[in-house]
Amino acid sequence: MSKDTLWNFHVWNESWFSRSELGSSYGGWQVLDATPQELSGGIHRCGPTSVHAIKEGDIDLDYDGPFVFSEVNADRITWVYYDKDLKEKVYTNSESVGKFISTKAVGSNGWIDITDNYKYPEGSEKERSVYMKARKKLIGMGIINKDSAEKRGIAKKRRKKRTGGSPLDDLDEKKKEFDIQGTFELNSSTKFGADIKLNLHLKNTSKIVQPVKIKLSSSTIEYTGRPDTEVYSDDTTLTVPPKKEKKLSVSIPASDYENYLTNHNLMEVVALCELKNRKKMLVRKVIVIERPPVDIQIYSYAFVNNPLDVEITYTNPLSTPLNDGLLVFGGSGLVKKSRRRKVPKLQPKESGRMTIEITPYQSGSRQLTVDLTSKHFSAIKGFHKINVLGEGETHEESEGHEEGGAYEGGEGHEDGDAYAEGGEYEDDEVYEDSM
């Protein structure tokens, strides 16, 4: 099985400087990856890569253009593995990678979409011509050969990518029309500890009866898209009358998934449908499981070297008692060394409250983080921004303490944490391919 992955987020840096060795048009923003996972010239590094060069398909320019281009332009190809030597391609998606490329707004925690800096509009004539240009350059660079690039299926790769699928394959393959349309509908809460209930809707657009063989599965997944633990599977057949729709109910008990969620609380539900003409259709949905937040409250102003009371409210997300809960809290300028407090036993879904004392030692805007940890689930995190006043400063001269919030998940990849409120991660995707 391929070691390629499709991350639901990735973080890199941009720096602004001239690239006189490349030409004046390639100056400006440059990609630099501070946590490179692959070797470049025998060294773990990535960049600087001209953003303009990536947009124009000039991937032969220094440095690491092919890799950065694939990070924002790769195709996602899904295969069904029957055993280690037999596989069947189900679909190719050329639009899912490189969406919502964003940067932090100046002066706030808001975000600005900069996707247009990296690529032309998906599916446009210009985007396809740039893609073809990059493909020809890769052939010229010897990264791929012309024969393998023209074959169906995934060509052998020289290096694994963070994007899942090869950017070189099935360039001209079109999404084919099919007689069955499929979607998943989520019709239950996504809160941790709740049973996940979905309906699979299959609509027959043809004038004949369509029998559909369905293989259902659900797995907890990493933020890279890689499956972790299968928590549900089923096989069934559904007969859909002409011009009609049928519904199949799917229920995944909380007890089956709650001990297997990874740090980012993601599950994927998949229906592999075999149609009458033996074509394969895949319907999938990624769900984010919502954990109860850690709430942090401060009811007074914070001053350097003065004790400050912090009230923390937390909830046991499990359907069983929580006996090993710990609160772990820290923050630069607020707590010199990470501290822990044991949480009293909590019954299923029960909330608790604890007051801790911290003594800020640096003034300015600071952030307190509090984690609720247990061996039964990944860390549930909360945060609160605090404006610490310096010696002799009065609260009239400052904005006081700031509001906080909560986010989910344990420690992410070294690039950063991905977090979400819970709910549906993305729209359904349905494709088919004749074999």
Side-chain angles (χ1 to χ4, degrees):
M1 186 175 294
S2 170
K3 293 183 179 180
D4 285 354
T5 56
L6 184 76
W7 294 18
N8 72 345
F9 79 102
H10 177 53
V11 178
W12 60 76
N13 308 107
E14 284 187 357
S15 298
W16 179 279
F17 51 88
S18 63
R19 296 294 301 273
S20 57
E21 82 280 19
L22 303 182
S24 59
S25 62
Y26 299 102
W29 291 116
Q30 310 290 318
V31 172
L32 294 160
D33 194 334
T35 56
Q37 301 300 295
E38 318 297 340
L39 292 175
S40 172
I43 301 173
H44 277 97
R45 59 185 175 183
C46 184
T49 312
S50 167
V51 172
H52 179 72
I54 295 304
K55 183 170 183 175
E56 298 300 329
D58 295 323
I59 59 174
D60 53 334
L61 301 180
D62 291 337
Y63 296 92
D64 303 308
F67 186 69
V68 176
F69 187 86
S70 74
E71 286 188 302
V72 298
N73 287 288
D75 290 349
R76 178 175 184 167
I77 301 175
T78 297
W79 298 79
V80 175
Y81 282 76
Y82 299 101
D83 59 45
K84 66 179 182 178
D85 298 318
L86 180 61
K87 62 183 181 180
E88 180 181 14
K89 186 172 67 176
V90 178
Y91 75 84
T92 299
N93 184 349
S94 63
E95 300 178 357
S96 65
V97 172
K99 301 174 77 171
F100 309 116
I101 304 173
S102 309
T103 190
K104 180 184 176 297
V106 176
S108 76
N109 286 328
W111 64 280
I112 298 174
D113 191 299
I114 57 171
T115 306
D116 288 346
N117 291 358
Y118 281 83
K119 58 202 296 190
Y120 289 96
E122 198 73 57
S124 68
E125 182 177 344
K126 183 65 174 178
E127 183 263 343
R128 287 290 90 184
S129 67
V130 168
Y131 196 98
M132 286 296 294
K133 176 183 179 181
R135 187 171 184 253
K136 290 178 181 178
K137 286 180 179 289
L138 287 170
I139 294 172
M141 296 166 69
I143 293 178
I144 62 170
N145 63 70
K146 186 175 181 180
D147 292 335
S148 66
E150 292 174 350
K151 292 180 181 178
R152 290 170 57 86
I154 296 180
K156 185 177 181 181
K157 304 177 186 62
R158 295 185 60 178
R159 64 192 297 186
K160 64 182 182 179
K161 302 177 182 65
R162 296 189 186 93
T163 47
S166 166
L168 314 174
D169 305 310
D170 305 287
L171 182 66
D172 301 316
E173 184 178 27
K174 305 296 183 183
K175 296 177 188 176
K176 299 178 175 61
E177 296 296 327
F178 46 89
D179 295 329
I180 293 289
Q181 297 176 350
T183 58
F184 272 118
E185 175 194 16
L186 181 66
N187 59 3
S188 70
S189 168
T190 58
K191 290 184 177 180
F192 187 93
D195 295 345
I196 302 299
K197 298 181 184 295
L198 307 98
N199 289 327
L200 173 64
H201 294 272
L202 295 179
K203 183 178 180 180
N204 183 1
T205 61
S206 74
K207 298 179 180 180
I208 61 173
V209 173
Q210 294 283 353
V212 183
K213 295 179 180 179
I214 306 168
K215 181 175 178 57
L216 291 159
S217 67
S218 179
S219 299
T220 58
I221 61 174
E222 302 284 349
Y223 68 96
T224 60
R226 187 171 295 280
D228 185 75
T229 304
E230 186 176 63
V231 297
Y232 174 86
S233 65
D234 193 19
D235 294 275
T236 189
T237 299
L238 207 59
T239 301
V240 188
K243 303 296 182 179
K244 298 290 184 180
E245 180 178 306
K246 278 207 168 182
K247 178 178 69 175
L248 180 65
S249 297
V250 179
S251 180
I252 306 171
S255 57
D256 287 352
Y257 73 78
E258 62 183 10
N259 289 328
Y260 301 103
L261 285 174
T262 60
N263 285 346
H264 298 292
N265 310 316
L266 298 171
M267 292 177 60
E268 183 176 43
V269 185
V270 175
L272 179 63
C273 304
E274 183 175 334
L275 310 182
K276 186 177 182 179
N277 54 11
R278 300 190 66 80
K279 292 181 180 180
K280 299 293 195 304
M281 181 181 75
L282 192 75
V283 187
R284 61 186 293 271
K285 182 175 284 296
V286 176
I287 301 168
V288 182
I289 302 300
E290 179 185 4
R291 296 182 186 270
V294 172
D295 182 66
I296 304 170
Q297 294 293 332
I298 298 173
Y299 299 105
S300 62
Y301 289 94
F303 294 89
V304 169
N305 299 324
N306 284 0
L308 178 68
D309 286 339
V310 179
E311 184 181 86
I312 303 169
T313 304
Y314 46 86
T315 302
N316 174 16
L318 301 173
S319 54
T320 57
L322 177 65
N323 296 304
D324 66 341
L326 283 175
L327 288 179
V328 182
F329 52 97
S332 175
L334 299 172
V335 181
K336 290 185 177 180
K337 186 177 181 181
S338 179
R339 293 160 56 187
R340 299 175 177 234
R341 290 281 297 273
K342 182 171 175 56
V343 171
K345 180 179 178 179
L346 293 172
Q347 295 302 316
K349 315 302 181 185
E350 182 185 6
S351 295
R353 184 173 295 155
M354 182 183 297
T355 298
I356 62 173
E357 182 183 278
I358 63 173
T359 302
Y361 59 93
Q362 289 181 347
S363 62
S365 181
R366 303 292 166 184
Q367 181 166 281
L368 178 69
T369 62
V370 180
D371 295 359
L372 174 62
T373 67
S374 166
K375 67 180 181 182
H376 299 291
F377 52 80
S378 58
I380 303 173
K381 295 172 174 275
F383 67 91
H384 196 103
K385 287 189 176 180
I386 304 172
N387 191 40
V388 181
L389 305 179
E391 294 182 4
E393 188 177 4
T394 65
H395 62 81
E396 286 84 4
E397 299 169 347
S398 174
E399 296 180 358
H401 61 80
E402 305 174 37
E403 293 185 356
Y407 61 94
E408 302 174 14
E411 290 302 316
H413 192 271
E414 55 263 41
D415 293 321
D417 288 330
Y419 59 92
E421 289 296 322
E424 301 177 34
Y425 175 68
E426 59 183 37
D427 293 333
D428 304 296
E429 296 177 308
V430 186
Y431 301 89
E432 70 170 12
D433 187 11
S434 55
M435 297 295 130

